[in-house]
Amino acid sequence: MRFTFPILTLCHGGAQRMLVELTNGLTARGHEVVILMPSGGDISYNVHSQVLRTDHTVLRESDFPVSDMIVSNFYTTVPVSEAASQKGKGMHIRLSLCYEPLFLPENEVSFPTYHITDKLLVLSRWQQELIALSHGITGSIVPIGISTAFRNQHIRQMLQEPLNITAILRKEENGFASHREQDYLLKQLDIVKHNAPQVNINFICPPDEFYSSESLQQMNVGGKYRFFTPKNDEELCYHYNGADIFVSASAFDAGSLPGLEAMRCGAALVSVYSGGNLQYARHGDNCLLSYRYENRLAQDVVRLIYDPPLRARLAEQGEADSLAWTWDHSVTCLEQAVMRFVQDIPQNESTRTPLLRRLAGYRLHKGQ
């Protein structure tokens, strides 16, 4: 099949990584994949598909090649993808990597874009239900995966360092970081340092964001935390492997990829419930998980610092559980969902919660 993916940027980030992994996976399976990008769009990953750059900073319907499938993602790519589809350039499918109305400006613009096509792909059951309740459309789940570059290198003891508590910190100046609850994360990790002064507090940040952020630069100068700026997966894997405990405070994520990657590299995970991470995170079994209102993040981290057997058990189970999450499986799910759209096969009722089944029953009743 021929796919066109209109993509604004492939800078470092979980959503961009998923786009790269899916397009690379489709290309490896023999599909023709074109990534349509505006001029100036960044590419920070190894892309194996054809990249077609336009001469403009925004995508236009005329830029789209003829294909079988047009897979939009970010909300600003949805209307132009639908316009191209209406011109006969391919079936329009939306891959929702995040639910934009929750945390981005102009939700009065992003919200109605979910009414443009009923052919929807989502990352998790939480996101599936959220969109179904808001818009009446039940998307097919294409789960996140883990790159083969990430593995447990078993180097923690060889590093001979104090216990390392590690989290990801992103640039806040672009205004897209509110859902990550970074102020809460910093306050909680300061509590951890107060109760366990012997540990290191580390932050991983994409290098371009770190060096262009005044606030992160000020934090770095203070010397209170260590910052790592991995430029590729090999370096990121190394820093995951140096983490004894990986911490996430994000309030809502469609997939929450970093926590899963850290588990794969042998770190014990302490996280706030973010919706999408419930796909892989099980409190007391492979991580410590809390709701944001419980204000328990620091308490859970300190618990693992002073309970090495529990920390080791959670890390071991988390690593074992992470093995099931592969990008190859994600690509298979994408292919299967696309074939259902082509054949106009309805969503399997067994995948729906009772409330979503009621919504489906409403649509059936209205059609009679």
Side-chain angles (χ1 to χ4, degrees):
M1 285 187 287
R2 297 170 298 171
F3 289 84
T4 298
F5 282 75
I7 299 175
L8 302 181
T9 180
L10 289 174
C11 60
H12 287 113
Q16 290 76 21
R17 175 182 292 279
M18 186 164 191
L19 288 170
V20 170
E21 296 289 354
L22 291 178
T23 53
N24 283 351
L26 288 171
T27 298
R29 295 190 182 193
H31 299 287
E32 296 181 25
V33 180
V34 173
I35 294 176
L36 179 63
M37 297 189 76
S39 64
D42 294 329
I43 299 180
S44 300
Y45 295 95
N46 293 323
V47 173
H48 303 157
S49 308
Q50 178 187 353
V51 178
L52 176 61
R53 287 190 181 272
T54 73
D55 296 329
H56 304 271
T57 57
V58 295
L59 298 178
R60 302 166 302 172
E61 172 272 316
S62 58
D63 296 323
F64 284 69
V66 175
S67 59
D68 300 306
M69 306 293 161
I70 299 173
V71 186
S72 63
N73 52 87
F74 196 59
Y75 77 97
T76 57
T77 67
V78 174
V80 68
S81 295
E82 181 64 17
S85 179
Q86 292 296 324
K87 291 289 187 178
K89 294 186 175 182
M91 176 183 289
H92 179 203
I93 300 170
R94 181 180 190 152
L95 169 60
S96 177
L97 299 168
C98 63
Y99 186 59
E100 300 94 335
L102 272 179
F103 68 101
L104 291 180
E106 298 186 325
N107 57 3
E108 75 282 1
V109 177
S110 61
F111 186 88
T113 63
Y114 279 89
H115 305 149
I116 289 177
T117 177
D118 63 349
K119 297 172 179 62
L120 178 67
L121 304 173
V122 295
L123 275 56
S124 61
R125 177 62 63 86
W126 169 80
Q127 187 191 14
Q128 181 190 58
E129 295 186 358
L130 178 66
I131 295 175
L133 292 172
S134 300
H135 304 278
I137 300 170
T138 302
S140 296
I141 296 177
V142 176
I144 58 176
I146 306 175
S147 169
T148 55
F150 298 109
R151 60 184 179 86
N152 189 348
Q153 299 171 329
H154 301 284
I155 61 173
R156 287 174 176 82
Q157 290 186 342
M158 291 187 295
L159 293 176
Q160 295 184 333
E161 289 191 340
L163 211 66
N164 281 301
I165 316 301
T166 302
I168 288 179
L169 205 62
R170 302 292 296 271
K171 178 179 179 178
E172 291 197 328
E173 283 86 345
N174 60 14
F176 295 164
S178 62
H179 65 294
R180 297 189 176 101
E181 291 274 10
Q182 294 189 163
D183 288 342
Y184 172 66
L185 174 67
L186 289 170
K187 291 176 182 178
Q188 291 293 292
L189 291 181
D190 284 345
I191 294 173
V192 169
K193 185 69 173 178
H194 176 77
N195 286 276
Q198 73 276 16
V199 305
N200 291 329
I201 304 295
N202 309 307
F203 292 119
I204 298 172
C205 182
D208 53 339
E209 293 190 21
F210 176 73
Y211 292 111
S212 64
S213 170
E214 181 178 348
S215 60
L216 294 179
Q217 290 295 309
Q218 290 177 347
M219 288 177 59
N220 186 48
V221 170
K224 192 175 182 180
Y225 315 103
R226 293 197 304 182
F227 279 87
F228 302 132
T229 55
K231 64 179 182 294
N232 53 41
D233 284 351
E234 289 71 27
E235 291 185 9
L236 180 57
C237 178
Y238 177 80
H239 293 308
Y240 278 143
N241 271 270
D244 295 284
I245 301 171
F246 185 82
V247 185
S248 175
S250 184
F252 48 89
D253 277 316
S256 201
L257 182 57
L260 189 59
E261 291 175 339
M263 290 167 70
R264 181 68 183 88
C265 293
L269 175 65
V270 174
S271 181
V272 169
Y273 165 80
S274 65
N277 62 359
L278 207 59
Q279 293 286 117
Y280 62 81
R282 301 188 307 277
H283 175 66
D285 186 11
N286 62 12
C287 69
L288 293 184
L289 193 65
S290 60
Y291 286 106
R292 173 63 179 85
Y293 79 89
E294 294 177 297
N295 198 31
R296 210 183 66 211
L297 197 65
Q299 178 183 333
D300 283 350
V301 174
V302 172
R303 178 185 176 189
L304 290 191
I305 291 173
Y306 292 111
D307 191 342
L310 176 60
R311 185 172 73 242
R313 179 176 67 79
L314 295 179
E316 182 179 1
Q317 187 62 54
E319 182 183 352
D321 291 343
S322 73
L323 296 175
W325 297 79
T326 68
W327 288 118
D328 186 63
H329 174 62
S330 305
V331 175
T332 296
C333 291
L334 173 59
E335 286 182 320
Q336 292 173 345
V338 168
M339 289 308 301
R340 288 196 299 271
F341 293 143
V342 170
Q343 299 171 21
D344 198 23
I345 299 174
Q347 184 78 264
N348 189 338
E349 282 295 306
S350 65
T351 66
R352 294 180 170 139
T353 64
L355 186 53
L356 296 187
R357 291 177 188 175
R358 287 175 58 191
L359 285 173
Y362 168 78
R363 288 197 296 270
L364 179 61
H365 175 73
K366 292 290 286 185
Q368 290 177 341

